Amino acid sequence: MTEGLLLFAHGARDPAWARPFEIVTQRLRAARPDTPLAMAFLEFMSPDMDEAAAQLAAAGCTRVHVLPLFLGTGGHVRRDVPVLLDRLREQHGDAIEWLLHAPLGEQEAVLQAISLACLAVLE
């Protein structure tokens, strides 16, 4: 089984907005060079989810971890992401298992890092 990681963010009209995501992607590739990884955006930027999924399928992934890079479970995560994943399941059939994870901002390590960064402002 080949596992891949699909990072999914909102997207923006300003290309500078994506810089933190590019840094994260570079660091993940450096840490796990053998793990197929793709970054996808909901709107305004590319690749979109279909294009990123095609990259991971072409890399031979049979299981893809989908990680929304959102601070919480808002409308996009509740409404848009399930529809996009259903479409991927239709396109790729049983060849790939798509595993949706909780948004990044709801993970304890991220909450801790945000808290520490906020406290650092006061020092």
Side-chain angles (χ1 to χ4, degrees), residues 7 20-21 24 28 67-73 101-119:
L7 304 175
F21 300 106
V24 167
L28 290 171
L67 181 56
L69 301 182
F70 290 79
L71 286 178
T73 304
H101 293 270
L104 190 65
E106 294 182 2
Q107 297 183 23
E108 182 57 34
V110 174
L111 294 170
Q112 182 66 21
I114 290 171
S115 299
L116 291 173
C118 291
L119 290 171

Side-chain angles (χ1 to χ4, degrees), residues 9-75:
H10 188 276
R13 288 182 178 90
D14 183 350
W17 173 89
R19 184 72 183 128
F21 300 106
E22 293 165 0
I23 292 169
V24 167
T25 300
Q26 290 167 359
R27 290 179 182 179
L28 290 171
R29 284 195 172 119
R32 299 285 300 265
D34 295 331
T35 300
L37 169 66
M39 181 77 218
F41 299 97
L42 178 63
E43 56 188 8
F44 306 120
M45 303 181 114
S46 61
D48 63 15
M49 177 116 27
D50 289 340
E51 293 166 322
Q55 292 172 12
L56 294 170
C61 291
T62 54
R63 176 182 288 160
V64 174
H65 298 270
V66 179
L67 181 56
L69 301 182
F70 290 79
L71 286 178
T73 304

